[in-house]
Amino acid sequence: MAGGGSIQAPRGTRDIFGDELERLERLERLCANTAKIWGYSGIRTPVFEHTGLFTRSIGEVTDIVEKEMFTIPRQTDKAGADSFTLRPENTAGVVRAYLEHNLHKTQGLTKLWYVGPQFRRERPQKGRLREFNQMGVEVLGLQKGDSQERRSPPIANLEVMLLATDILNRAGLKGRVVLGYNTVGCDQPGCRDRYREELKELLAKEEEKLCSDCRKRIERNVFRVLDCKKPNCRAVCEELLTWHSQERPEAFCEHCKAEIEFIKNRLDQFQEGYASARSWFLVRGLDYYTGAVFELSAQGLGAQDAVGGGGRYDGLIEELGGPSVGATGFALGLERILIAQQDAGVDAFEIPDVGPLVYVAPMLPPGPSSSDFFGYGTESQLQMADDAFRLTVILRRKGFRTEFDLLKHGRKIANSLRRASQLGARFAVIVGEMEAKQQEVKLKDMETREERRVKQADLAAEIWKDIG
Ligand code: HAM
């Protein structure tokens, strides 16, 4: 600001008013209601946090922490004072709140959504701001396990991917979104560690072709090289692609391979309004991820085409002093969705009502986690779990608030019904072995206590009939 002149908003920030504010508020309501339909409850965390929260969670050697944080320096004259940072993203704050309020002790699995401003000191351009709004969700408290068998397979990860696409579809972007997914490997011996060493070795041979940043990255955080947008670095990475896609997958651990295979198959099965593809160089700009990650891109945004991204992060809760449990989530950039809507000529979209609660319960035998049945169950258990999840997704896409327990199974029917009534469910849908074989379910009206068998294909219509 030059002395005497008028004061303008800082670069990379925007005033939002009139029609644009209206559109943003509608989009926020759409996000909120869709998250509720998918079984998430809301949280708001402070706009600034202790700087250490972000350096510990996002990673010291990331663009965000190295260059993009807005930090209010520590007041050196005050003993014990800390520096604060405007949040560059919301995952770290949500995990901190989850631990601070002991949600990990009081709730089995915690599913939260949020909306609000985030701050990154990036070079402003179309779709890239220094203050921008995100909507996001986090699923916290997933079984991490101490062995390959006990780690919970990726049903929660799939759920958040499908929720993100449901929001974008409802926002009028059907057919204009691509979901790219990849794995960054995990902490099991011989997975990500080995990947890192192999990449270092390969890239070191090409070092002179890389930019100066990437040369440093080889030692400090080699995965970031895959993400560099500079043409020479891209060319080196393209050369690696054949190796990467044809030989490297064999070197990921069994769990990571099974996880990405599961996600690929189910994304194809649930396809509605989006295309999906393995994106071999997707590494994400934050270091907390483990296993499967994803990004959503939309037409009409130019260089900044990512409207959202997320994935599984199994180390962060423990890193911030909590128990050894895993998590997954995503965030969507609201300004970028508004640009994509404009490009698609969308000016009206419906805000979904949050329909009555439906509780879907597959009658699986006791096990450490429901998701085990997606990877390791018998054929009929697998079918029950699959049917229950598929029906859950169908009901949610139709606007019914639907609960599907991602964590614990082995409930008896009576226990499931008790749980359904504790949650205030209007309907319970029981997927038993017999019913699954005949592509049916038991539908119980929790108000009238009436119960009947209905075809899975007619479930939503039957529920509408009962509501009248
Ligand atoms: P992210 O990929 O850094 O992930 O950001 C998510 C989305 O926020 C991006 O895809 C983009 O749409 C939007 N965004 C990011 N930076 C800007 C910017 N400078 N201007 C405008 N929009 C921007 C995260 O933030 C993770 N916390 C997501 C997550 C949640 N992972 C697990 N849980």
Side-chain angles (χ1 to χ4, degrees):
M1 181 192 37
S6 62
I7 299 177
Q8 297 187 338
R11 226 159 77 81
T13 67
R14 301 179 63 238
D15 301 307
I16 308 172
F17 53 94
D19 285 352
E20 195 185 359
L21 181 59
E22 198 112 311
R23 272 207 305 279
L24 178 64
E25 284 176 344
R26 283 182 61 78
L27 183 59
E28 285 175 352
R29 286 218 300 284
L30 181 150
C31 290
N33 284 8
T34 311
K36 286 176 197 162
I37 286 168
W38 284 68
Y40 291 73
S41 56
I43 184 165
R44 287 192 191 190
T45 64
V47 162
F48 65 92
E49 300 266 3
H50 289 283
T51 304
L53 177 69
F54 301 119
T55 47
R56 265 167 75 183
S57 55
I58 295 169
E60 304 258 8
V61 190
T62 55
D63 283 352
I64 296 183
V65 168
E66 284 188 330
K67 312 183 211 160
E68 297 170 3
M69 296 207 300
F70 283 102
T71 295
I72 303 150
R74 190 167 77 93
Q75 284 180 286
T76 43
D77 56 329
K78 293 218 177 95
D82 200 355
S83 73
F84 299 113
T85 294
L86 295 182
R87 61 183 183 200
E89 58 103 54
N90 221 153
T91 307
V94 169
V95 173
R96 181 206 42 73
Y98 167 75
L99 296 174
E100 192 166 330
H101 302 289
N102 281 322
L103 301 184
H104 58 298
K105 293 188 184 143
T106 52
Q107 303 183 4
L109 188 78
T110 307
K111 292 176 47 169
L112 299 168
W113 73 270
Y114 51 83
V115 66
Q118 319 292 330
F119 306 84
R120 296 184 193 176
R121 194 178 224 125
E122 296 193 80
R123 202 152 39 82
Q125 63 179 78
K126 181 182 173 189
R128 192 161 72 193
L129 295 157
R130 290 183 162 181
E131 179 182 6
F132 58 97
N133 289 285
Q134 276 186 348
M135 176 274 172
V137 308
E138 313 295 344
V139 182
L140 305 149
L142 294 168
Q143 176 126 4
K144 209 165 104 174
D146 42 20
S147 71
Q148 296 290 337
E149 285 69 36
R150 278 174 50 81
R151 279 172 53 185
S152 63
I155 191 73
N157 226 344
L158 178 68
E159 172 179 299
V160 297
M161 291 183 196
L162 294 174
L163 166 53
T165 60
D166 194 30
I167 291 175
L168 296 172
N169 283 345
R170 289 176 190 275
L173 299 181
K174 229 177 202 170
R176 302 176 69 91
V177 170
V178 175
L179 191 159
Y181 55 88
N182 196 17
T183 180
V184 295
C186 71
D187 297 337
Q188 291 287 319
C191 193
R192 199 210 317 239
D193 281 353
R194 201 159 87 202
Y195 182 26
R196 183 183 294 115
E197 290 315 309
E198 284 179 8
L199 260 187
K200 270 189 188 173
E201 208 175 294
L202 281 162
L203 288 169
K205 288 187 200 145
E206 310 285 338
E207 198 176 335
E208 73 287 357
K209 297 185 195 156
L210 299 174
C211 72
S212 58
D213 280 344
C214 281
R215 269 182 236 157
K216 283 186 223 138
R217 286 176 183 140
I218 293 181
E219 268 315 307
R220 298 180 72 202
N221 190 348
V222 70
F223 300 122
R224 308 290 309 146
V225 178
L226 298 178
D227 203 26
C228 183
K229 303 285 180 290
K230 303 224 173 75
N232 286 353
C233 302
R234 287 249 52 83
V236 169
C237 291
E238 290 301 325
E239 277 173 34
L240 284 181
L241 187 64
T242 317
W243 163 80
H244 201 284
S245 59
Q246 289 174 8
E247 292 173 37
R248 177 59 212 165
E250 295 315 311
F252 285 114
C253 74
E254 286 308 310
H255 180 89
C256 284
K257 278 193 286 180
E259 177 178 51
I260 211 74
E261 199 48 33
F262 175 91
I263 283 174
K264 176 188 180 315
N265 293 338
R266 298 308 199 288
L267 282 176
D268 290 347
Q269 179 192 345
F270 284 107
Q271 202 118 24
E272 189 178 274
Y274 62 88
S276 57
R278 178 84 182 249
S279 185
W280 293 97
F281 293 143
L282 183 60
V283 289
R284 310 275 300 126
L286 309 112
D287 275 357
Y288 48 62
Y289 294 105
T290 54
V293 293
F294 64 102
E295 249 170 35
L296 296 136
S297 47
Q299 290 167 24
L301 281 156
Q304 306 301 319
D305 68 347
V307 283
R312 182 129 181 173
Y313 50 99
D314 276 0
L316 184 57
I317 295 176
E318 205 172 359
E319 168 63 32
L320 295 180
S324 176
V325 290
T328 182
F330 69 79
L332 297 172
L334 299 188
E335 285 79 3
R336 292 194 189 173
I337 296 179
L338 292 178
I339 297 173
Q341 284 179 326
Q342 228 162 22
D343 189 75
V346 174
D347 44 29
F349 52 87
E350 242 175 73
I351 298 167
D353 288 331
V354 184
L357 181 65
V358 182
Y359 186 81
V360 178
M363 288 295 104
L364 294 166
S369 118
S370 70
S371 33
D372 288 338
F373 294 97
F374 287 93
Y376 312 105
T378 65
E379 208 172 301
S380 69
Q381 289 165 356
L382 218 80
Q383 186 174 354
M384 272 190 280
D386 249 345
D387 282 358
F389 186 68
R390 183 175 42 79
L391 291 169
T392 302
V393 172
I394 291 172
L395 291 175
R396 286 171 174 168
R397 282 178 172 169
K398 291 194 186 295
F400 292 103
R401 188 155 67 94
T402 310
E403 278 289 336
F404 172 74
D405 197 335
L406 283 165
L407 201 62
K408 287 219 165 46
H409 271 286
R411 298 190 200 281
K412 298 196 172 78
I413 291 201
N415 291 347
S416 285
L417 293 178
R418 195 170 318 124
R419 179 81 187 128
S421 80
Q422 275 166 1
L423 290 169
R426 174 77 168 74
F427 297 95
V429 174
I430 311 288
V431 188
E433 202 166 342
M434 287 296 291
E435 290 90 357
K437 273 200 187 112
Q438 292 165 12
Q439 286 295 289
E440 292 182 345
V441 291
K442 264 196 207 115
L443 174 63
K444 185 170 179 90
D445 186 322
M446 300 296 289
E447 262 174 25
T448 63
R449 315 303 293 175
E450 276 166 11
E451 187 181 293
R452 64 184 189 278
R453 271 170 81 142
V454 302
K455 286 268 164 237
Q456 290 187 7
D458 302 334
L459 179 61
E462 291 287 336
I463 294 178
W464 280 125
K465 212 155 72 184
D466 286 5
I467 305 169

